[in-house]
Amino acid sequence: MKRRGFLKFLGGTAIGVTLGEAGFFALGPRSDPAFAGQRHDGLLHERTPLSICGGCPAGCSVRLRIVDGRVVGIRGNPACPISAGGLCARGASEVEAFYDPDRLLGPVARDDGTGLRRVSWDEAQKTIAGALEKARSAGAPVRVATILASGRGLTRCVAEAFHAEVGSPHLYQVDLLRDPAARAAAALGLGSEEPPTYDLSRASLVLSVDSPLLEGWLSPCHVSALFGAGRRRKEPLELIHIGSRMSATAMRADRWIRCRPGTETTLALGIARVLLREGLASDRALARIEGLEDWTDAEGKEHPGFARSLAMAYSTQTVARETGVPVVTILDVARRFGRARAPLAVGERLAGSAGVFGLAAVSLLNALVDQIGPSRTVVPRAPSALVRLTEAAVPSAPLVRPPTVALPGATIASVLAGLQREGEEPPFDVLFLEDGSVLGGLEPGDEAWKMLARIPLIVSFARSLDASVELAHLVLPSTTPYEQVSFVEAEPAAAIQAVAMARKAIDPIVDGRPIGQVYLDLAKALSLPLAKHYPTVEKVYDAQLERLQGLRRGTPYAGAFRHHWVEEQERAGWWSPQAATPEAFRRAVHEGGGWVDPVAPSGMSESAPVLALGRRAGAKARASSRLYPLPANDDAWMPRDELAGQVTGDGAGAFRLLPFTPSGFVGYGTPNRPSLLEYAGPAVLGAYRPWVEMNEHDGQMLGLEEGDEVRLISEHGTAPAVVRLTKLVAEGTVAVPWGGCTRGGGRYAKG
Ligand code: SF4
């Protein structure tokens, strides 16, 4: 660079910095015709406020770049302990969803036969309040139900309080980032209604039993950050992946154990058997697992314990024959797992659940190596750091506390079926849907869809066109986290507790409202105490800030150094507040983007039993599992999956369906994010088209070529798809992406 150029460069920088501190940059006049007609004074006003990513329930803190009132960029917040400054593809695509051309501009109502028409918020609120009042005046309990997709945050906090005060327990939550069977498996084996947290920061070896570990599971940014940090450690984190498809996780693993499709659980139980036989399970661990030993029932009848049953049914040779994995590999994986310093097995999936007993087999692996409990790699969840509004507002009021049941199978169909089993007539008087993702791919011909269509009033909070809009009588578009105060209790992949908190970063660009505010306004219309204490979502936000400060632990987000410092102090039994007054605490939380306790309290004592196996455990869990039917027999604990079908040259025979969730497709609603469709490749560019991956050999047998259009036929229906031929999927299997697109979906979903 020449001297003159250097001086010019320096001068420009100095001006930029000076004006930047004043709150804006001089970036020169705009000539872009897209801005024609707007205010034009030659200056662009730039702000970079903190906000929360709404791409999934993980709760990453983000920093927006807003130029002249438009969001033009987004990046991770380096002080956030969840993302560590990272941003996944889905998080980056949030800007596309924010400016989605199919975003709903304001409330709409569906009049029978006349389509949608714009209504005012007042009219919409009166309609809902009227329906609820009518139900209340009939004397019976108000039959209102809510199905949410977001995690533990503002919406759920207010919805819980609302349901508690109207006396309705029907508040449901779709777990978009976790295996739908995880909750039932936790109730069955661990005796807890909350699935555990996996502490990747502690693990030295991860055994992935067909889990989408690096494809958007649990807390995508946090998992990526911890995996990267683990790889850079002096003793690098080792990853062994068991599965039949070359997924992104398999690709990045140190070892990919390719088994026959559907035999992953068999392999996990085979490994458990080797751990027991070779004495790789610790005595302490064995003492804390119920059901391993032979037992006698009340009538004096002898039953083989789990260990004996396992030895009889899962000899290494049998497992090798069924899974196609050589004996020597099974032994080697079991020994590596059993001897690792801090092993961790994970088996949850996002699509095509591992099932309750598949997850129980993975839990058994963790239990045998004594890795369930405080300071282990599988950590029972700490109670929420957030306050329940009903407790804060009216501590002594007799309230029905809604359980917030996670939906097994992640669909409303399961809820309806579960309620029918209990003898309740499922349709409610009023049903609130967070958006189309909670419908989990329901189609108008489905029984559950027909049942829903009988509900007198369905209210959707969808932001864009989706399946819920097709069903709803009223659509009240919600604001994004950028456009409102917001807090989310993060879903971490380590034993920490974190709550992302942010003020409104930008004024709403549509006539939308926070979902929480809709509930609070309804509470006011129904004269519920909730509205008196919390007239606005800002008050709810303030209550949570007060709560976090009152916990007297943790710290506002402040970066890795401060977090480590607080961790060291807390482990030594100390805590020093970073901000002593409420005002200072509020400022520190806003400057950091949230609050974190690096040493989350454990939800389990050191000596508690860690796993219960077999019939007795099943009986206990069946009593508490309202919605997941659990079989009574011990055999269910040792599932043997059906092997892939044999397909002959004329196409006869059946393929095994292997659903998977491509990275970035987590949480449905992908069609309004065209950049995410690019990840899926040319087959779906422009508009979403589902594809099917199959082995090249199978393709040849059926005379198929890359890009051919086929129809997938199963007992549940048919679906069109584009063929992709690959060596990376086992023969006899068709791998189908799940979560890319739902009904409705706007312009990018239309093929
Ligand atoms: S992990 Fe979830 S919350 Fe975090 S950036 Fe990605 S989509 Fe957003």
Side-chain angles (χ1 to χ4, degrees), residues 70-87:
R70 284 185 73 82
V71 182
V72 297
I74 175 172
R75 59 187 164 86
N77 171 10
C80 171
I82 299 299
S83 67
L87 188 71

Side-chain angles (χ1 to χ4, degrees), residues 53-60 62 83 86-92 94 219-222:
C53 176
C56 80
C60 297
V62 293
S83 67
L87 188 71
C88 73
R90 188 173 179 83
E94 274 292 282
S219 181
C221 276
H222 202 200

Side-chain angles (χ1 to χ4, degrees), residues 677-747:
L677 295 183
E678 289 184 27
Y679 284 85
V684 298
L685 267 186
Y688 182 78
R689 294 164 81 201
W691 72 93
V692 54
E693 293 175 11
M694 64 194 309
N695 189 281
E696 287 175 350
H697 181 251
D698 287 339
Q700 261 174 14
M701 265 206 309
L702 298 176
L704 292 172
E705 290 186 3
E706 178 88 7
D708 278 356
E709 300 211 353
V710 293
R711 289 195 80 74
L712 298 172
I713 303 169
S714 82
E715 63 209 43
H716 302 293
T718 67
V722 179
V723 169
R724 279 184 179 174
L725 299 177
T726 171
K727 288 190 178 67
L728 304 177
V729 173
E731 289 175 27
T733 308
V734 288
V736 180
W738 173 252
C741 177
T742 55
R743 288 187 65 78
R747 67 195 65 194

Side-chain angles (χ1 to χ4, degrees), residues 78 91 164 231 261 428 466 476 482 556 642 655 664 674 676 696 735:
R231 290 297 219 192
F428 310 99
D466 65 23
L476 307 180
Y482 304 168
E642 280 178 26
F655 285 90
L676 286 187
E696 287 175 350

Side-chain angles (χ1 to χ4, degrees), residues 30-50:
R30 293 169 301 196
S31 56
D32 187 339
F35 294 111
Q38 293 184 12
R39 182 184 59 78
H40 191 305
D41 56 8
L43 297 176
L44 297 181
H45 296 261
E46 175 169 354
R47 296 185 295 121
T48 53
L50 285 173

